[in-house]
Amino acid sequence: MTPPTQNTSGLSDVYLDNNATTMVDPVVVEEMLPFFTVQFGNPSSIHSFGNNVGRSIKKARQQVQALLGAEHDSEIVFTACGTESDSTAILSALKAQPERKEIITTVVEHPAVLSLCEYLEKDGYTVHWLKVDGKGRLDLDVYADLLEERGEHIAIVSVMWANNETGTIFPVEKMATMARDAGVMFHTDAVQAVGKVPMMLADSDIDMLSLSGHKLHAPKGVGVLYLKRGTRFRPLLRGGHQERGRRAGTENVASIVALGKACELAAEKMEYENTVVKAMRDRLQEGILAAVPHCFPTGDVENRLPNTCNIAFEYIEGEAILMLLNKAGIAASSGSACTSGSLEPSHVMMAMGIPYTAAHGTIRFSFSCYNTMQEVERVIAAVPPIVAQLRKLSPYWGEDGPIEDPERLFAPTYA
Amino acid sequence: MWDYSETVKEHFFNPRNARVMEEPDAIGDVGSIQCGDALRLTLKVDKDTEIIQDAAFQTFGCGSAIASSSVLTEIIKGKTLDEALLVTNQDIANELDGLPPEKMHCSVMGREALQAAVANYRGEVWRDDHEEGALICKCFAVDAVMIEETVRANNLRTVEDVTNYTKAGGGCSACHEGIEEILTRVLAETGEAFNARASRQKLHADKEKPKVPGKGLSNIERIKRIERVIEAVRPQLQRDRGDVTLVDVDGDTVFVNLVGACSGCQMASLTVSGIQQQMMEDLGEFIRVVPVPAEKPASATVKLEVPA
């Protein structure tokens, strides 16, 4: 089940970057293939070519509905990706309530929400940014005060269900209820949480939710906006009557069918994800922390996704770690500035107050059901020498530990 | 992952001279901790000849930072301090078979460490005057601080102006939104509003009526003005260890010779278009500046050779 690439170690590559994207499940691929060839009809057509396709989309909609615990299948709107779902939700709330010019969100959102909100600020909207503490947790008292003080001016609250970098889970169901009580719409970017956290949206006060296919073993290029019945809505794309006029554009049928199947499989594997996958994640973290000095897990470790662990290796830089891991056939990701080409390390690490010397060395390991315990042991064995090798190069590292009195021993002129 | 050259990878996986040097004669510590890189360069220097006998480094940073440090130590070994100071960040990048634009600052850090180490050896204080901003133009590696300063210093008003002066936005044009934002912000400082329509009108005007050369000015007056523009830009180039001289003028074409750090630098075309723009403004006519090789090798090139 692992990708067929080979590295210098001669073993198959270990893929621990499932929060970035996942492999499409072979069963899902099988399911979607006929829609490129035999079942190519346009679901809007009257003839039988289109008819069957329309039924397949309906089935996919019900499969997504089941995973989310939504009350109606018509609450599922297929989109092109998580980002489109996020933009649609937030811009719809602003368009539908033009008298409300304020938004509440968090400082640790995915760029899909973060960049949009920053752009809206330039456009004259007010964005209230909820801060996080050292473990990446929100202060609900601050949130409650904001809702009370500014409630009638707030168009929408948008808070991610789980953080993509640390896996930290936010209490979105509770926050949605608080928003409802204040008469404010609530949206959650649940791209990382869907399929890993059980959901029953029918019983929640969440008005809108975004999910992305490629995070749960469906292909890239398909997503969903869950839209609770009765939520005031203005489409982002107008045109044809697809998705009941809420998202015009001919359906990406093969990917929609694939997403439906992937949701069905995700529901079946939810238990496995929260037991076996979680145990692999826990073993990896424990193994690395035991073998490597001066490293620590980031985020709210007691309350996070079962597949994610983010470890900060102090005094070394993430991209260098990733390059050496890659050479050893291990794929992960980093919050360092260099990996993204930006000047600052990850906004999530900065928001948690992680010092620069550690924030640049954060590595995210994210699992899927295709990983094995053998792979975990391989990573545990590979990481300590890589860290030691880079620390040996680091001016912040002495003989066998961080240099004491760095002010005196290494005080670079900062550019 | 970045598209690193094989040379970058080679120097990263097998860094040369990565060690702590015992009793170094010179130490250069530089870095940008937000940016995630810091470098200590240590040198052994012969007291009489000032020849660098040994160089070593320690680097906290990404693949290209480590590779830049490694290749730098190889370049400067055997050079005198004065020769080593002629090494530009472009030399470091060239030796690595190129760096991605986002990573050029790693080579800059290498050169700065060298300057800091030489200053340390000579008992001088080295101050870094280079501020780095977010990368705006990825085609030509131009950051926000550079664009902002150029806009302010030259009263630029349009995206085309910015492209002419800094080269930013002259490639794929995806960064034009970012450049417009900077223009809007800087122009607002003096209460002026950015006008996107002005840019487009200017663009069309340029296309529609190519200007006639030499209207009104005598040949002597033209050449004098051309020389004056060149004299005005020389100090700036000399600060970066480069220079420019006038070779010839033929109608609307001005031939110049770029030397030292300017020649072969990826910013050479930026320099040329900057000079061209200033000449056009000064003379009020269309001017094309063409860089040509000098009759004899530039002195800087000769100096770079290591004495036997």
Side-chain angles (χ1 to χ4, degrees):
Chain A
M1 284 284 193
T2 40
T5 46
Q6 291 286 310
N7 53 78
T8 49
S9 70
L11 297 164
S12 296
D13 283 340
V14 180
Y15 186 74
L16 288 178
D17 200 11
N18 287 279
N19 285 13
T21 195
T22 59
M23 179 180 92
V24 181
D25 191 304
V27 177
V28 170
V29 175
E30 202 60 41
E31 194 85 3
M32 70 191 291
L33 286 179
F35 293 88
F36 291 110
T37 52
V38 190
Q39 306 258 47
F40 62 86
N42 188 326
S44 300
S45 306
I46 295 298
H47 46 68
S48 60
F49 287 90
N51 252 342
N52 292 335
V53 175
R55 273 196 290 276
S56 302
I57 290 182
K58 187 174 171 61
K59 183 181 165 198
R61 205 181 299 282
Q62 288 164 347
Q63 287 165 317
V64 178
Q65 178 200 358
L67 180 65
L68 298 182
E71 194 173 354
H72 311 281
D73 66 354
S74 60
E75 294 174 327
I76 307 302
V77 180
F78 289 110
T79 65
C81 56
T83 299
E84 186 197 322
S85 302
D86 289 337
S87 270
T88 304
I90 292 171
L91 295 174
S92 162
L94 296 175
K95 195 84 179 162
Q97 312 163 91
E99 70 289 357
R100 294 177 179 234
K101 304 271 188 210
E102 298 177 23
I103 299 168
I104 297 178
T105 187
T106 80
V107 292
V108 294
E109 293 300 307
H110 185 274
V113 170
L114 198 77
S115 298
L116 175 65
C117 287
E118 283 170 353
Y119 175 74
L120 289 168
E121 271 185 327
K122 287 181 201 158
D123 241 11
Y125 292 93
T126 301
V127 179
H128 302 281
W129 300 95
L130 297 174
K131 296 189 176 70
V132 296
D133 67 8
K135 287 187 162 185
R137 296 171 299 197
L138 295 170
D139 185 340
L140 290 194
D141 290 339
V142 173
Y143 173 57
D145 289 348
L146 252 179
L147 285 175
E148 195 181 313
E149 282 168 31
R150 305 298 306 166
E152 60 187 299
H153 302 288
I154 309 285
I156 190 167
V157 178
S158 181
V159 173
M160 66 199 330
W161 197 310
N163 186 269
N164 49 311
E165 292 188 31
T166 62
T168 301
I169 294 172
F170 285 145
V172 285
E173 283 153 311
K174 186 175 178 188
M175 294 177 82
T177 301
M178 291 164 74
R180 184 207 58 191
D181 292 346
V184 178
M185 244 183 236
F186 191 92
H187 163 255
T188 180
D189 177 342
V191 160
Q192 295 293 347
V194 172
K196 295 166 198 152
V197 178
M199 293 175 186
M200 189 50 70
L201 295 183
D203 298 339
S204 84
D205 293 308
I206 293 168
D207 298 302
M208 293 186 271
L209 172 146
S210 305
L211 76 86
S212 173
H214 74 101
K215 307 285 191 191
L216 58 149
H217 306 290
K220 294 148 189 71
V222 65
V224 160
L225 175 66
Y226 160 84
L227 182 63
K228 192 182 270 300
R229 184 171 286 186
T231 305
R232 295 185 62 209
F233 183 73
R234 298 291 179 271
L236 183 68
L237 299 184
R238 289 178 190 269
H241 56 85
Q242 295 89 353
E243 303 300 293
R244 295 166 192 261
R246 295 172 302 181
R247 201 283 188 181
T250 301
E251 297 87 343
N252 178 4
V253 178
S255 292
I256 287 172
V257 168
L259 177 53
K261 187 65 185 177
C263 284
E264 184 189 308
L265 296 176
E268 289 167 10
K269 287 184 292 197
M270 185 93 69
E271 178 69 22
Y272 184 87
E273 190 86 33
N274 283 280
T275 52
V276 180
V277 173
K278 182 171 183 285
M280 287 191 272
R281 189 273 316 267
D282 290 343
R283 168 68 191 131
L284 180 79
Q285 178 171 314
E286 168 217 49
I288 289 178
L289 294 189
V292 178
H294 295 281
C295 69
F296 58 89
T298 68
D300 188 0
V301 292
E302 301 304 321
N303 184 31
R304 61 178 164 170
L305 295 174
N307 79 318
T308 309
C309 116
N310 189 305
I311 298 179
F313 297 96
E314 294 184 85
Y315 313 110
I316 52 176
E317 200 276 335
E319 187 202 285
I321 304 173
L322 290 185
M323 284 177 74
L324 289 170
L325 280 174
N326 188 52
K327 202 181 173 201
I330 297 163
S333 75
S334 168
S336 88
C338 284
T339 45
S340 61
S342 60
L343 288 177
E344 290 258 314
S346 135
H347 67 287
V348 178
M349 298 303 147
M350 289 293 96
M352 292 192 293
I354 309 279
Y356 281 114
T357 40
H360 281 294
T362 52
I363 299 291
R364 178 186 69 188
F365 300 99
S366 49
F367 290 75
S368 79
C369 56
Y370 300 121
N371 292 116
T372 65
M373 210 46 132
Q374 284 77 10
E375 291 179 332
V376 173
E377 295 305 329
R378 227 178 102 195
V379 178
I380 293 174
V383 168
I386 288 175
V387 173
Q389 179 184 341
L390 289 173
R391 279 183 178 160
K392 226 178 134 189
L393 284 179
S394 171
Y396 292 105
W397 195 258
E399 275 293 295
D400 44 22
I403 53 171
E404 285 168 34
D405 193 7
E407 294 289 308
R408 188 175 59 81
L409 283 171
F410 181 69
T413 306
Y414 288 125
Chain B
M1 195 68 76
W2 300 103
D3 189 13
Y4 282 138
S5 71
E6 288 306 313
T7 317
V8 172
K9 287 188 216 162
E10 217 282 307
H11 273 274
F12 169 69
F13 289 126
N14 305 297
R16 327 286 199 270
N17 309 307
R19 60 192 146 82
V20 178
M21 185 184 281
E22 297 296 326
E23 295 177 20
D25 298 318
I27 301 176
D29 288 347
V30 292
S32 156
I33 194 62
Q34 286 95 333
C35 195
D37 40 31
L39 160 60
R40 162 171 289 182
L41 178 70
T42 44
L43 308 176
K44 285 269 189 219
V45 183
D46 184 286
K47 297 265 177 311
D48 301 321
T49 58
E50 285 208 332
I51 287 176
I52 298 168
Q53 295 169 316
D54 193 13
F57 78 92
Q58 284 177 283
T59 292
F60 167 93
C62 58
S64 53
I66 290 169
S68 295
S69 310
S70 168
V71 83
L72 170 70
T73 57
E74 291 288 281
I75 293 174
I76 61 173
K77 268 203 269 183
K79 286 194 190 329
T80 66
L81 293 182
D82 283 335
E83 288 163 353
L85 282 175
L86 290 173
V87 174
T88 65
N89 73 297
Q90 195 61 43
D91 293 333
I92 297 171
N94 288 347
E95 198 69 22
L96 289 168
D97 293 328
L99 284 171
E102 289 89 342
K103 299 291 194 168
M104 282 303 287
H105 67 91
C106 293
S107 62
V108 173
M109 185 173 74
R111 199 190 81 176
E112 289 172 343
L114 181 61
Q115 291 172 325
V118 174
N120 173 262
Y121 179 80
R122 292 175 171 167
E124 297 161 356
V125 178
W126 179 77
R127 286 184 63 86
D128 172 44
D129 56 356
H130 166 80
E131 201 192 334
E132 198 173 80
L135 191 65
I136 300 289
C137 171
K138 292 190 177 176
C139 295
F140 299 112
V142 188
D143 68 32
V145 171
M146 181 172 180
I147 296 175
E148 240 182 89
E149 285 174 354
T150 314
V151 168
R152 225 175 256 127
N154 300 285
N155 293 317
L156 305 187
R157 284 190 170 70
T158 66
V159 174
E160 287 74 32
D161 285 346
V162 171
T163 304
N164 285 336
Y165 275 74
T166 68
K167 214 172 176 189
C172 73
S173 85
C175 64
H176 283 196
E177 183 185 358
I179 296 175
E180 285 192 13
E181 274 177 22
I182 293 174
L183 280 166
T184 306
R185 195 168 62 237
V186 175
L187 288 175
E189 289 167 6
T190 55
E192 202 178 322
F194 168 71
N195 180 358
R197 192 172 292 171
S199 314
R200 274 201 295 276
Q201 278 165 353
K202 191 165 174 271
L203 195 69
H204 289 304
D206 284 352
K207 275 183 186 162
E208 280 158 17
K209 37 174 184 172
K211 287 159 190 157
V212 190
K215 48 171 182 188
L217 291 178
S218 70
N219 273 338
I220 305 254
E221 180 66 16
R222 284 183 78 227
I223 301 231
K224 270 188 189 162
R225 288 200 182 196
I226 287 167
E227 276 178 337
R228 203 164 58 205
V229 171
I230 287 189
E231 283 309 311
V233 298
R234 286 185 70 194
Q236 198 186 339
L237 297 177
Q238 284 162 349
R239 269 204 299 280
D240 291 333
R241 274 163 300 283
D243 207 347
V244 62
T245 49
L246 179 62
V247 176
D248 199 3
V249 180
D250 181 12
D252 62 358
T253 306
V254 175
F255 297 97
V256 297
N257 173 235
L258 292 171
V259 295
C262 292
S263 65
C265 163
Q266 68 170 25
M267 303 303 268
S269 50
L270 146 68
T271 309
V272 168
S273 62
I275 296 171
Q276 177 171 302
Q277 182 69 21
Q278 288 180 43
M279 283 188 188
M280 285 197 276
E281 280 170 17
D282 200 83
L283 275 74
E285 59 174 283
F286 178 78
I287 293 287
R288 195 158 58 102
V289 175
V290 178
V292 291
E295 286 157 18
K296 54 184 180 186
S299 55
T301 322
V302 177
K303 270 194 218 156
L304 271 170
E305 285 170 12
V306 182

